[in-house]
Amino acid sequence: MPVYDYKCREHGLFHQLATMEDCAKPAECPTCQALSPRVILLPPEIAAMDPAKRSAQDRNERSKHEPMFSTADRRAHDKEHSRSCGCGSPKPGKSMLFYTADGKKMFPSMRPWMISH
């Protein structure tokens, strides 16, 4: 059974075990037996976090399990990337592929075992 947080008006926060079915129901305060609503607490480091940093962390958490879909808007945005955008990706159209004098492919900045894949 999970532990939920509740807040009594007089005695403050308390924690109590409850079934998942009863998670939305109020619980009795252990001190005064008054029904107290469930509250959801955020750690202070999340509540006081810079909004831009919180947005970046949310985006990173979503990207762990959600695939990125290719859309016309995303492809147009990717074409506008440059080295000054900070993402570190090469400019579109700039291939890292070189050919040697005898016609073999050479990828100077890539892994050698990935040649011709």
Side-chain angles (χ1 to χ4, degrees):
M1 254 193 302
V3 176
Y4 295 106
D5 301 316
Y6 298 90
K7 187 172 183 178
C8 176
R9 288 185 183 213
E10 290 186 35
H11 301 102
L13 290 172
F14 64 94
H15 316 289
Q16 188 169 342
L17 288 171
T19 63
M20 293 177 81
E21 295 169 352
D22 296 336
C23 69
K25 296 178 182 176
E28 289 185 357
C29 173
T31 309
C32 66
Q33 311 309 322
L35 286 179
S36 304
R38 180 176 165 215
V39 293
I40 298 175
L41 303 175
L42 287 176
E45 59 271 1
I46 292 177
M49 186 184 296
D50 176 48
K53 186 174 180 182
R54 185 180 311 147
S55 172
Q57 285 188 345
D58 289 343
R59 186 172 47 251
N60 288 341
E61 286 296 317
R62 280 194 309 271
S63 68
K64 284 183 178 178
H65 62 279
E66 293 178 2
M68 182 170 44
F69 295 102
S70 177
T71 63
D73 293 337
R74 183 174 296 278
R75 286 188 300 272
H77 177 310
D78 290 344
K79 286 182 183 178
E80 297 170 5
H81 273 254
S82 66
R83 291 193 188 272
S84 62
C85 74
C87 71
S89 63
K91 291 182 181 179
K94 292 275 189 174
S95 175
M96 302 304 283
L97 171 66
F98 294 100
Y99 288 95
T100 62
D102 58 350
K104 293 181 181 176
K105 292 181 183 179
M106 185 171 89
F107 299 88
S109 65
M110 296 186 172
R111 298 177 184 117
W113 57 86
M114 294 184 72
I115 294 175
S116 300
H117 286 270

